[in-house]
Amino acid sequence: MNIMVVGGAGYIGSHAVRLLIAAGHQVTVYDNLSRGHRQAVPDGLLVEGDLTDRARVVSVLRECKIEAVMHFAAFALVNESVADPALYYRNNVIAALELLEAMREAEVTKIVFSSTTATYGEPATMPISEDTPQQPINPYGFTKLVIEKALADYASAYGLGYAALRYFNAAGAHPDGTIGEDHDPESHLIPVVLQVALGQREKITIFGDDFATPDGTCLRDYIHVEDLASAHLRALELIEPGKGVCINLGTGRGTSVREIVEACRKVTGHPIPAVMGDRRSGDPAELVADNRLAKELLDWTPKYDQIGSIVETAWRWHQSHPNGYAT
Ligand code: UDP
């Protein structure tokens, strides 16, 4: 299939590109490189452009005879979305709507959309299923929910077929160590902890140990980026015109911040000094997926079911690329 991967130079998108190519698809990456990395894209696949340039998007969709789009291009930092919501509404909502309009114009009728656990906010019950009420508590979550709603409306009005995949905590890197996570500044737990092991930071600050969890630190559902990517391929196969599905992508297992630090100590052999800090605002105690729908609909199960093996792939990437793609 001819597939346009929007945001294919980013962390999750670049892993999907690799997998799509391996599965025999023809891939065009459309990315404005605002946060993505040229080096993450295989030679010859990158079209540098912005989604707000609708005419350009339409012409690429037509020229490359695109049959389906995967849309990974979005900003995804909760704190940043609170501090600068305009950035998020522009990039995650306006640009995404422009993409949908370009697809309509070029008659491309299938899309896989990157959604998020942040659309659920702070759910009262765990684990989180697709029926859990979506009540986002920050602009990032709102922007993703807006596009989920738009997709549903486009499906019923214009016959769009879509899958909205709600990621839990993406983690890890390609097992060959050539692509991985590279954010500037980095704020995600596993890369930050591994930066301590690399000697780039003195210590890790644990954001709160007084949560109502077994060890007092937050529980998250860390899902390997390769498992996320493989779910996209499966989702693409089941998209039907005029219909949409929303699916959680997680392992169904919660890992605490302390357990992450411990797993990183084991994998790296570094003592990784940790200090307790204040809670980060808006951090729910626990976010764990009920992933039964993904297993059932996508015939998918996460290959990386141990946090140690996820950390190992991340460590391989960070060791060989201590400064990310800049090395
Ligand atoms: N966290 C932490 N110290 C850090 C970064 C993150 O204790 O330096 C915690 C954070 O409070 C959350 C978990 O690690 O409970 C995962 O945070 P991350 O930013 O990686 O992902 P999020 O869950 O916010 O999407």
Side-chain angles (χ1 to χ4, degrees):
M1 204 186 274
N2 295 327
I3 298 169
M4 179 192 261
V5 181
V6 182
Y11 173 41
I12 303 168
S14 60
H15 288 78
V17 166
R18 290 284 185 92
L19 219 59
L20 286 166
I21 293 168
H25 294 289
Q26 276 70 52
V27 175
T28 302
V29 171
Y30 193 85
D31 200 302
N32 66 7
L33 299 181
S34 72
R35 297 206 175 164
H37 305 275
R38 186 184 300 279
Q39 303 92 313
V41 183
D43 286 345
L45 300 190
L46 178 66
V47 176
E48 208 178 321
D50 205 276
L51 286 179
T52 52
D53 185 353
R54 196 193 301 174
R56 180 97 192 285
V57 179
V58 170
S59 82
V60 175
L61 290 171
R62 287 194 175 130
E63 274 164 29
C64 301
K65 299 190 169 39
I66 297 298
E67 300 162 85
V69 169
M70 290 191 179
H71 179 35
F72 294 94
F75 293 158
L77 297 175
V78 167
N79 284 349
E80 185 183 56
S81 79
V82 174
D84 192 358
L87 193 66
Y88 277 68
Y89 283 95
R90 263 203 317 272
N91 194 50
N92 294 6
V93 177
I94 295 176
L97 293 175
E98 283 295 332
L99 171 62
L100 294 185
E101 283 301 278
M103 288 173 63
R104 210 148 69 87
E105 212 172 311
E107 295 174 24
V108 179
T109 57
K110 290 181 179 182
I111 185 167
V112 183
F113 172 67
S114 304
S115 189
T116 168
T117 178
T119 60
Y120 295 110
E122 293 186 82
T125 53
M126 281 301 136
I128 301 170
S129 80
E130 289 77 3
D131 300 330
T132 299
Q134 287 177 293
Q135 295 166 332
I137 55 165
N138 52 59
Y140 170 55
F142 274 111
T143 60
K144 287 289 180 177
L145 186 55
V146 168
I147 298 305
E148 279 198 16
K149 300 288 184 203
L151 289 169
D153 292 338
Y154 271 59
S156 49
Y158 310 128
L160 182 70
Y162 74 91
L165 303 181
R166 298 178 185 151
Y167 310 159
F168 282 65
N169 286 58
H174 196 285
D176 74 5
T178 57
I179 52 173
E181 196 166 3
D182 179 2
H183 300 118
D184 187 23
E186 187 54 77
S187 63
H188 292 111
L189 180 63
I190 293 175
V192 166
V193 176
L194 293 177
Q195 284 175 352
V196 180
L198 284 172
Q200 296 174 339
R201 292 178 194 247
E202 259 177 48
K203 57 182 187 312
I204 174 76
T205 302
I206 294 177
F207 297 148
D209 66 348
D210 56 353
F211 290 92
T213 59
D215 70 13
T217 66
C218 289
L219 291 170
R220 293 289 178 272
D221 186 336
Y222 296 89
I223 170 91
H224 197 278
V225 65
E226 290 269 297
D227 286 323
L228 288 179
S230 69
H232 284 70
L233 269 76
R234 292 298 177 90
L236 193 59
E237 290 164 14
L238 61 88
I239 292 176
E240 287 177 43
K243 289 194 180 156
V245 280
C246 298
I247 305 173
N248 286 342
L249 294 181
T251 62
R253 184 199 56 225
T255 304
S256 75
V257 177
R258 277 189 212 273
E259 286 170 334
I260 292 289
V261 175
E262 205 39 57
C264 291
R265 287 180 179 137
K266 239 186 224 145
V267 167
T268 63
H270 189 283
I272 309 184
V275 295
M276 275 320 141
D278 292 338
R279 287 185 179 199
R280 193 171 61 175
S281 76
D283 259 346
E286 183 176 356
L287 294 170
V288 175
D290 174 338
N291 64 5
R292 284 176 299 176
L293 190 66
K295 286 180 167 163
E296 186 191 316
L297 284 185
L298 304 178
D299 188 23
W300 166 94
T301 176
K303 274 195 312 190
Y304 292 85
D305 58 358
Q306 299 297 319
I307 197 64
S309 59
I310 295 179
V311 170
E312 270 169 26
T313 62
W315 181 230
R316 207 168 299 148
W317 155 254
H318 287 290
Q319 263 187 313
S320 57
H321 298 77
N323 299 308
Y325 288 101
T327 0

